Amino acid sequence: MAPHIYTSFVSTLLFALFVIQTLKFSHSKAFTNVSCIGAEREALLKFKQDLIDPSRRLWSWTGEDCCEWQGVECSKKTGHVSKLDLRNPCGGLECSLGGKTHLALNKLKHLKYLDLSFNNFSNQKFPKSLASLQKLEYLNLSSVGFYGQISNEVSNLSSLRYLDVSNLWRWPSITIENLQWLSTFSNLKYLDMSYVRLLNPKDWLSPISMLSSLEFLILRGCYLEYALGSLPVNFTSLRFLDLSYNFMNSSIPPWFQNLTKLEYLDLSFNHLQGIFPTAILTNSQSFRYLDVVNNGLEGELLKNMSILCNLQILRLRSNKFSGRISNNEDSALICGRSNLKIIDVSGNNFSGQLPNQFGNFKDLEFLDFSWNSISGSIPTIVGQLSSLRKLCLSSNKLSGNLPESIGQLFNLEEMDIHNNQLEGVVNELHFANLTSLTVLYFYLNKLVLNISASWVPSFQLQKIFMSGCKVGPRFPNWLRTQGNISILDMSNASISDEVPYWLPNILSNIEQLYLSSNMLRGNISRIMGKKIQLLRLVSLSRNNLTGGIPNSLCMSDELHFLDLSKNQLSGRLPQYNKLNGQIPYSLCHLERLGVLSLHENDLNGVLPKCLLKLELVYLDLSNNQFTGRIPSFGQHSQSFEIIDLERNYFTGDIPLQLCHLDNLRYLSLAHNNLFGGIPHCFNNFSLMWANSKFTPNGRFPLGFSIMVDIKGTSREFTTTLRYLFSMDLSSNALDGQIPEGLTWLAQLENLNLSHNKLIGVIPTNIGNLRKLESLDLSNNKLSGGIPPSISNLDSLGRLDLSFNNLSGRVPSGNHLTTLYDQFFYRANDGLCGAPLLKVCPREEHNDKGKQDGHNTVKDESNEGDSIVVWLYSGFGPGFIVAILGFYCILHLKPSWRISYFQAVDRIIVKLSILRMITMFWFKRVFQFQLRKYGVI
């Protein structure tokens, strides 16, 4: 969802609520002479003492009258502090408050409005003391950084009308065990818990459905799994509902059709299936916003477009909607006046023709029908869409001519009609009034540009894509008026002409230049005669260019793709060794690209965001120097099966959007600088589940291979990669616990989480990963025992649990007997049992008892005991003399000698292992000495 759209709707829908709250809580000192109450002033000053205020936002908190302080308002009747608004004004950390919230805040018993949003209290647990502010009606703790669970004591705030505990900054946040405490908020109208982890997501709906006054419900990214269609719901007042970015894998439940006051519905980025119920649109006369992007919904929703008349935003992208668009001959199907501003139905299976009644959509700003099966011509009525800013009709089956009326769209910024069957002549009338146009996609059509050499366009284009169109034979003269071009693609454009002298003048800001497969003549220096700072990609192949390769190309620091093949170039080749740099944005235009492998180069920089929109299946960017955060793969496209980003310099946390990649079976983020926890939603990789129906791809990309660290060695997988299921997150700074959900991925053959900062216990159900061949959890901070279920891993050939804080007995049995090596368990001081040398305490006790039972003999003589006492007393300065005397006595008295050895045997049994070893050594020494001197 576009941020400005989201903000616009929220501000509009909340306007009335905010006005009421403002009237209720905002009392200017201009209307009162009541001074601040002393006890409350002292409480505020104590509250300030524990705050970190780098931008001095609270500079005004001095003097006697706290009602004059910034962010503080008092009741004009009683003088009590009623409002404390400390919301971060700039949204960034540079002006956020930090530190801790002092308990003195509890003294503000008459506080009705508290806003601490977008500050940084990340070192503090959720303060239970807030529950004492029982008169609170407005509480905004959005993105404040509190961690820990929300206490059930919050239920004391029964007067709340507005509650926001969302976490839009995605740093460590609060968690919620259950939502039962919400049941006391009978007056609650606004509830936002976006990106807050619900520990029991199955029970989310029941307590919320009791809030009959609720008007705004936002549970975006809360890990919800079910829509719970069978529960009775009483949302009679609900106007705004956002359940996007969850994991709801069901159909849309029937209770959605009973939301008769609903104005805004966002269900995007879930796994919803089945037919979309159109009653949701018709049962509410106020319905304005519908977003179901990236689901698996079906139905013929555009068959009767009259049900969309009241909508302002319609977003159906990337679903399975089908059917023909409304019949052009039946004008009754289209409303007389539409309020629609955005229509995005791309990436579905719609067919039919574009309706002629589009002229009624006077407010339409964004129209995207791309990637469908729409046929027929583009209706001339499209020229009446005077508000249109973006027109996307690409990748359909459109045919016929481009209507000249399209040239009347003076607000149009982007026109994308590529990859169709359009033909005919395009002239100046098609561009007559396109004064706002900056992006033009014409390629993969059969269009012919017939434009006068004297024509001066009214626009300034930044991106021009006319590959495959007939632009020539002369080089288009109108280009000389364009000074902001960053991408120019006129390859295979039937240009047979001398390179114009003015061409370098318009290429000063060029980043990508494609003029290949033409018949351009002249010296290449006419094109590349001077250094171009931003130049990244150049393709001038298959022309008739002459001369030597310009040295200016070697000075283009950003250049990393150069194709000058099949020309008539001559001279010496300049020393050129800078074919590295960043990934080109041009890759993002390869919309059918399925495999991208740039393994082991010197590529660097931040990955372009446009990569997210590619329908990639295999991506290997390993062994480079990429920096920045890992892109949110899965946000737009769910086609990925293999992602290898290891051995780079990526930082930040692992994006949750990866969890949308149902088909992912190979993920390596090893050897980067990632931190944060392993997402709990990784159990969403359904292709790795035990019951998944995986069929190896028969058309595996030829030559594609990946180096995989498995079983302690690095192996190259080529065609066998199609059968590999692997996850490697090793050598980062990941913390937190190993999610129990990883044990769902029963198809995994390789799991490597080593060299991180993981804590907690090894999941008890680790034995569910029956196909695991290599498991490496070494060099972490894991504690507790090794789960006995690990012995169920019958395929395991490599195990490494070393360098942790594990304790208890090492499991045995089954396949573990083949992994009988203490190397796998070393540097875990608490572990014991085979194959380690350390005996477990209970086993030691049992063994000692057994030995006592088999070796107990009667004490034949107190004389033997006295010998032992005499022996120990002999240790000291006269050790040598005493030993020699003792040897003589043993030689002269056989009975003493017999008693001595019997006593030694009893002592060995009764002492600890260390003493046993020591006495055994003494015994052997004594025996050796006796033999030596002929005593025995």
Side-chain angles (χ1 to χ4, degrees):
M1 172 194 334
H4 70 280
I5 299 168
Y6 186 89
T7 303
S8 173
F9 266 90
V10 171
S11 60
T12 301
L13 295 175
L14 293 180
F15 180 74
L17 181 59
F18 287 164
V19 169
I20 294 173
Q21 292 162 343
T22 302
L23 292 175
K24 193 166 186 177
F25 299 121
S26 302
H27 305 292
S28 172
K29 285 294 293 179
F31 298 99
T32 179
N33 294 322
V34 179
S35 298
C36 170
I37 295 173
E40 295 184 350
R41 180 179 63 251
E42 294 302 319
L44 288 172
L45 289 175
K46 289 182 180 179
F47 175 70
K48 177 187 176 184
Q49 287 176 0
D50 283 359
L51 295 180
I52 300 173
D53 185 10
S55 60
R56 299 189 71 249
R57 287 169 48 194
L58 305 183
W59 64 269
S60 65
W61 285 34
T62 58
E64 293 296 319
D65 193 356
C66 65
C67 299
E68 295 285 351
W69 297 351
Q70 184 177 357
V72 180
E73 294 185 16
C74 302
S75 168
K76 65 180 180 179
K77 294 181 179 180
T78 64
H80 287 293
V81 174
S82 60
K83 179 176 181 178
L84 187 58
D85 186 356
L86 298 179
R87 181 185 179 91
N88 186 343
C90 68
L93 292 175
E94 65 275 6
C95 50
S96 66
L97 298 175
K100 293 187 177 181
T101 58
H102 196 280
L103 288 174
L105 195 63
N106 300 350
K107 302 294 184 181
L108 307 179
K109 298 296 185 182
H110 298 270
L111 198 63
K112 295 184 177 181
Y113 185 112
L114 178 60
D115 190 342
L116 301 177
S117 57
F118 295 96
N119 288 293
N120 182 10
F121 299 111
S122 55
N123 294 323
Q124 182 178 0
K125 286 188 175 181
F126 186 88
K128 296 181 180 180
S129 56
L130 291 178
S132 64
L133 303 176
Q134 296 185 14
K135 292 190 177 182
L136 272 182
E137 298 181 10
Y138 182 104
L139 179 58
N140 192 341
L141 301 177
S142 176
S143 305
V144 296
F146 291 140
Y147 67 94
Q149 289 192 22
I150 291 183
S151 169
N152 288 334
E153 296 173 3
V154 177
S155 61
N156 294 335
L157 305 178
S158 57
S159 299
L160 275 181
R161 296 163 58 86
Y162 183 107
L163 177 61
D164 188 346
V165 292
S166 60
N167 179 32
L168 303 182
W169 281 0
R170 308 289 186 89
W171 53 19
S173 69
I174 58 175
T175 57
I176 297 177
E177 179 69 29
N178 61 68
L179 298 175
Q180 298 303 321
W181 47 271
L182 282 173
S183 59
T184 62
F185 298 166
S186 57
N187 298 318
L188 196 65
K189 293 182 177 294
Y190 184 101
L191 177 61
D192 188 350
M193 296 192 297
S194 297
Y195 302 106
V196 172
R197 183 65 185 268
L198 301 183
L199 300 182
N200 292 311
K202 294 183 179 180
D203 301 326
W204 68 272
L205 184 58
S206 179
I208 294 179
S209 64
M210 301 171 63
L211 306 176
S212 58
S213 299
L214 198 63
E215 297 181 15
F216 302 88
L217 177 59
I218 307 173
L219 299 176
R220 184 182 180 93
C222 290
Y223 297 86
L224 306 179
E225 298 178 3
Y226 305 95
L228 300 178
S230 60
L231 288 179
V233 175
N234 188 26
F235 287 143
T236 56
S237 302
L238 200 62
R239 297 157 54 195
F240 188 108
L241 179 59
D242 186 347
L243 300 177
S244 60
Y245 289 91
N246 284 291
F247 303 101
M248 294 187 293
N249 189 5
S250 65
S251 59
I252 297 178
W255 59 263
F256 275 66
Q257 303 178 40
N258 300 328
L259 305 178
T260 57
K261 294 185 178 180
L262 196 63
E263 301 175 25
Y264 182 110
L265 178 61
D266 189 346
L267 301 174
S268 60
F269 295 95
N270 280 287
H271 301 290
L272 295 171
Q273 305 167 3
I275 304 296
F276 180 86
T278 56
I280 294 178
L281 302 173
T282 57
N283 289 349
S284 174
Q285 298 298 317
S286 304
F287 206 94
R288 296 289 181 271
Y289 186 109
L290 176 63
D291 188 345
V292 293
V293 165
N294 277 74
N295 282 285
L297 294 170
E298 304 175 34
E300 300 184 0
L301 196 56
L302 299 185
K303 184 176 182 180
N304 182 3
M305 293 189 68
S306 61
I307 64 175
L308 310 176
C309 291
N310 293 327
L311 283 178
Q312 293 182 8
I313 310 295
L314 175 64
R315 293 167 57 86
L316 309 179
R317 176 167 49 88
S318 299
N319 277 281
K320 299 178 181 179
F321 291 110
S322 59
R324 298 179 64 83
I325 303 176
S326 61
N327 190 346
N328 289 343
E329 299 177 357
D330 189 356
S331 59
L333 294 177
I334 303 292
C335 28
R337 167 75 180 186
S338 170
N339 297 315
L340 276 165
K341 293 183 178 180
I342 293 180
I343 299 178
D344 183 357
V345 298
S346 59
N348 283 283
N349 299 314
F350 290 117
S351 59
Q353 300 182 5
L354 296 175
N356 283 321
Q357 292 80 10
F358 264 136
N360 299 328
F361 291 55
K362 300 296 184 183
D363 297 327
L364 196 62
E365 299 178 7
F366 184 107
L367 178 61
D368 191 345
F369 274 93
S370 58
W371 292 95
N372 280 285
S373 299
I374 300 171
S375 58
S377 60
I378 299 175
T380 57
I381 201 77
V382 74
Q384 298 182 20
L385 302 178
S386 56
S387 299
L388 200 61
R389 292 188 296 110
K390 186 172 182 179
L391 175 63
C392 298
L393 303 175
S394 62
S395 300
N396 279 287
K397 300 177 181 179
L398 296 172
S399 58
N401 298 331
L402 185 67
E404 292 181 351
S405 63
I406 210 166
Q408 302 304 313
L409 302 178
F410 56 88
N411 283 313
L412 193 65
E413 300 171 5
E414 179 177 334
M415 185 195 308
D416 185 355
I417 57 173
H418 81 270
N419 194 22
N420 279 288
Q421 301 166 20
L422 298 171
E423 56 187 6
V425 175
V426 177
N427 55 43
E428 295 94 328
L429 293 177
H430 291 90
F431 304 106
N433 293 313
L434 301 184
T435 56
S436 302
L437 194 65
T438 59
V439 179
L440 186 61
Y441 294 91
F442 270 16
Y443 65 99
L444 293 180
N445 282 291
K446 298 179 181 179
L447 297 172
V448 178
L449 269 73
N450 184 13
I451 296 177
S452 168
S454 60
W455 177 63
V456 177
S458 59
F459 50 69
Q460 284 291 315
L461 293 178
Q462 298 175 8
K463 300 177 182 179
I464 305 173
F465 295 89
M466 294 186 175
S467 174
C469 297
K470 190 176 186 303
V471 177
R474 302 295 300 273
F475 206 95
N477 198 56
W478 59 268
L479 274 180
R480 66 189 300 180
T481 66
Q482 306 297 298
N484 298 323
I485 301 176
S486 61
I487 301 176
L488 175 60
D489 184 357
M490 288 189 173
S491 55
N492 191 27
S494 302
I495 301 175
S496 178
D497 195 8
E498 290 281 339
V499 176
Y501 69 90
W502 47 261
L503 185 57
N505 297 332
I506 70 167
L507 299 181
S508 57
N509 296 317
I510 199 74
E511 298 177 17
Q512 302 174 34
L513 178 62
Y514 308 93
L515 296 175
S516 60
S517 301
N518 285 291
M519 295 294 289
L520 290 175
R521 303 186 300 274
N523 197 297
I524 191 175
S525 61
R526 279 197 173 186
I527 303 175
M528 300 280 110
K530 60 181 181 179
K531 178 181 179 180
I532 302 175
Q533 295 284 356
L534 303 177
L535 189 63
R536 300 204 313 271
L537 288 95
V538 177
S539 180
L540 302 177
S541 63
R542 294 179 177 85
N543 281 289
N544 290 323
L545 299 174
T546 58
I549 299 177
N551 289 327
S552 59
L553 281 175
C554 303
M555 297 185 289
S556 299
D557 296 334
E558 300 296 325
L559 186 65
H560 55 272
F561 183 91
L562 178 63
D563 188 354
L564 305 178
S565 61
K566 297 190 177 181
N567 278 284
Q568 300 178 31
L569 303 179
S570 59
R572 295 174 61 87
L573 185 67
Q575 291 183 352
Y576 189 85
N577 58 2
K578 293 184 178 181
L579 291 178
N580 49 27
Q582 300 181 351
I583 287 184
Y585 282 86
S586 62
L587 284 175
C588 303
H589 301 300
L590 303 176
E591 297 181 351
R592 298 184 180 181
L593 188 67
V595 178
L596 176 59
S597 177
L598 300 173
H599 165 74
E600 200 170 353
N601 281 287
D602 291 323
L603 297 170
N604 54 50
V606 177
L607 296 183
K609 292 183 179 180
C610 58
L611 279 180
L612 300 176
K613 298 182 180 180
L614 292 179
E615 296 290 332
L616 288 172
V617 179
Y618 309 114
L619 175 65
D620 184 0
L621 305 180
S622 60
N623 288 75
N624 282 287
Q625 301 174 33
F626 293 117
T627 57
R629 303 180 72 89
I630 291 178
S632 302
F633 294 119
Q635 181 176 349
H636 301 291
S637 171
Q638 283 81 49
S639 56
F640 284 97
E641 292 184 20
I642 294 174
I643 295 179
D644 191 348
L645 304 179
E646 70 175 34
R647 300 185 189 278
N648 281 286
Y649 298 98
F650 290 114
T651 186
D653 51 8
I654 300 175
L656 295 178
Q657 287 79 4
L658 287 177
C659 301
H660 295 294
L661 303 177
D662 295 348
N663 296 320
L664 195 67
R665 55 185 178 82
Y666 182 96
L667 175 65
S668 181
L669 307 177
H671 295 276
N672 281 287
N673 299 317
L674 303 177
F675 53 82
I678 299 174
H680 288 262
C681 55
F682 270 15
N683 60 359
N684 198 48
F685 300 146
S686 57
L687 196 66
M688 300 189 193
W689 293 352
N691 58 353
S692 69
K693 298 179 180 179
F694 169 67
T695 303
N697 185 0
R699 299 183 60 187
F700 196 79
L702 188 64
F704 184 79
S705 64
I706 280 183
M707 297 300 298
V708 182
D709 291 330
I710 185 171
K711 296 185 179 180
T713 60
S714 184
R715 295 169 51 192
E716 183 178 16
F717 283 74
T718 53
T719 55
T720 56
L721 182 61
R722 73 183 71 181
Y723 305 104
L724 180 65
F725 291 81
S726 174
M727 182 183 297
D728 190 346
L729 308 179
S730 63
S731 299
N732 283 287
L734 299 175
D735 53 25
Q737 299 186 358
I738 299 176
E740 189 75 28
L742 287 185
T743 62
W744 292 21
L745 310 181
Q747 300 286 352
L748 269 180
E749 299 163 272
N750 178 42
L751 178 60
N752 191 345
L753 307 178
S754 65
H755 293 86
N756 280 293
K757 300 178 181 179
L758 299 174
I759 61 174
V761 300
I762 300 174
T764 56
N765 295 326
I766 192 73
N768 291 346
L769 306 181
R770 292 296 188 105
K771 295 187 177 181
L772 210 59
E773 298 179 10
S774 179
L775 174 62
D776 192 345
L777 305 179
S778 63
N779 290 273
N780 280 289
K781 300 178 181 179
L782 300 173
S783 57
I786 301 175
S789 68
I790 203 168
S791 61
N792 297 335
L793 303 181
D794 297 333
S795 301
L796 202 61
R798 160 92 176 172
L799 173 66
D800 195 346
L801 305 178
S802 60
F803 294 96
N804 280 289
N805 300 317
L806 300 173
S807 59
R809 177 200 293 270
V810 176
S812 60
N814 297 341
H815 186 66
L816 282 185
T817 56
T818 64
L819 303 174
Y820 208 71
D821 192 335
Q822 55 183 317
F823 174 86
F824 303 144
Y825 310 101
R826 70 192 189 284
N828 287 282
D829 294 339
L831 287 179
C832 60
L836 299 175
L837 296 179
K838 183 177 181 180
V839 179
C840 295
R842 185 173 298 177
E843 292 178 353
E844 178 185 336
H845 176 75
N846 293 339
D847 290 344
K848 187 164 65 175
K850 292 177 181 178
Q851 292 181 25
D852 285 341
H854 287 88
N855 297 294
T856 300
V857 294
K858 293 184 178 180
D859 196 355
E860 294 183 359
S861 172
N862 290 331
E863 190 176 17
D865 291 334
S866 65
I867 293 174
V868 174
V869 173
W870 181 88
L871 177 63
Y872 279 100
S873 65
F875 292 150
F879 177 80
I880 297 177
V881 176
I883 289 297
L884 290 175
F886 179 68
Y887 289 161
C888 293
I889 294 173
L890 293 180
H891 177 68
L892 296 174
K893 289 187 70 69
S895 61
W896 283 33
R897 186 164 64 247
I898 294 171
S899 299
Y900 162 73
F901 288 115
Q902 289 176 344
V904 168
D905 288 338
R906 289 195 299 273
I907 292 171
I908 290 174
V909 172
K910 295 178 180 179
L911 294 178
S912 64
I913 295 176
L914 179 60
R915 185 172 294 177
M916 290 168 61
I917 295 173
T918 303
M919 293 308 299
F920 178 77
W921 180 80
F922 274 120
K923 176 181 175 182
R924 298 295 300 272
V925 170
F926 294 161
Q927 290 176 338
F928 175 79
Q929 293 294 336
L930 293 175
R931 289 190 179 95
K932 181 177 181 181
Y933 290 100
V935 177
I936 57 174

